[in-house]
Amino acid sequence: MRVDVYPTVLNIPPAEDLAGRVAVVIDVLRATTTICTALANGADTVVPILTPEEAFQVAADNPDRMFLLGGERKAVLIPGFNYGNSPLEYTEARVKGRPILFTTTNGTRAIRRAAGADRVYIACLLNAPAVARELARLEQDVAICCAGTHDQFSLEDTACAGAILHFLAAAGAPVETNDMGVVARDLFREYDGRLGDLVHLSEHGQRLAKLGLQEDLLFCAQLGTLTILPVFTEGQVVLPD
């Protein structure tokens, strides 16, 4: 079983290189954490959208769907959107049964770029152990696609990739990985048990802390609190039946 880690959205391979593999998309701070949280709280679907303008147009073209608009630019709420990119905003009372159009600076781009894989899972620290167990069950080659931050390497996404590799090994899956996978696995093992420290240490974590979003950092640093396996299929992220 081959598991390669790609550190930023720009490194995600083209569709022809993803064919035959399973992709796992990670954006710990905060897109994939928010998507997983919204679906765990009963959202009907999350549709990754590339631009705010596209989101407004899709909502206007489908008034019967009653879409919620969620996302951020430069880590803050987009004017005219219902919610930002904080997982704490996506409570059951707000999202249960509702479809969400969702656009972020890095995460939704990464999801769309990974679409050429046979299957695309959405992962964060919250569900990393569950994703690893599913990958061990599937026994297919894997591309772990980190969104990164502004097209640069990020500590938190890399550590999450390392967590998946760590839990794959714990499940007994024989895994080969690339150099980035070795770095990711070692980073996770160095910070296992203190992921909150790593998230606060990261460049993007520091930026969010300056915006007063420390609670988001603590939430996003939780490991293994969810067992859901969101899948990106036919242009939307859903929980499989």
Side-chain angles (χ1 to χ4, degrees), residues 59-119:
D61 291 344
N62 298 274
D64 56 314
R65 294 292 306 276
M66 297 181 63
F67 281 111
L68 295 171
L69 301 184
E72 54 76 31
R73 285 297 181 272
K74 298 183 179 178
V76 299
L77 175 69
I78 298 167
F81 272 42
N82 300 98
Y83 305 116
N85 190 25
S86 168
L88 300 177
E89 294 180 87
Y90 293 76
T91 62
E92 182 176 354
R94 290 174 170 174
V95 305
K96 187 173 183 179
R98 297 290 297 274
I100 302 169
L101 300 174
F102 193 66
T103 181
T104 69
T105 306
N106 304 293
T108 50
R109 289 167 57 217
I111 293 169
R112 296 276 288 264
R113 283 179 70 104
D118 282 8
R119 177 169 279 214

Side-chain angles (χ1 to χ4, degrees), residues 36-199:
C36 288
T37 301
L39 291 169
N41 284 333
D44 178 59
T45 182
V46 179
V47 182
I49 299 290
L50 293 180
T51 67
E53 294 75 20
E54 182 187 356
F56 285 125
Q57 189 63 57
V58 172
D61 291 344
N62 298 274
D64 56 314
R65 294 292 306 276
M66 297 181 63
F67 281 111
L68 295 171
L69 301 184
E72 54 76 31
R73 285 297 181 272
K74 298 183 179 178
V76 299
L77 175 69
I78 298 167
F81 272 42
N82 300 98
Y83 305 116
N85 190 25
S86 168
L88 300 177
E89 294 180 87
Y90 293 76
T91 62
E92 182 176 354
R94 290 174 170 174
V95 305
K96 187 173 183 179
R98 297 290 297 274
I100 302 169
L101 300 174
F102 193 66
T103 181
T104 69
T105 306
N106 304 293
T108 50
R109 289 167 57 217
I111 293 169
R112 296 276 288 264
R113 283 179 70 104
D118 282 8
R119 177 169 279 214
V120 181
Y121 288 104
I122 307 303
C124 58
L125 288 169
L126 276 61
N127 70 337
V131 170
R133 290 192 295 270
E134 176 69 0
L135 297 177
R137 184 187 71 81
L138 292 173
E139 296 184 331
Q140 279 185 261
D141 289 345
V142 178
I144 300 182
C145 304
C146 301
T149 301
H150 300 301
D151 300 335
Q152 301 295 315
F153 168 94
S154 69
L155 283 175
E156 68 280 0
D157 290 351
T158 305
C160 185
I164 292 171
L165 283 162
H166 172 82
F167 288 110
L168 268 171
V175 172
E176 295 180 356
T177 190
N178 60 352
D179 287 356
M180 195 68 228
V182 174
V183 170
R185 188 170 52 204
D186 288 350
L187 179 65
F188 170 74
R189 289 173 175 170
E190 175 69 23
Y191 280 91
D192 188 13
R194 51 192 188 98
L195 291 169
D197 292 343
L198 179 139
V199 168

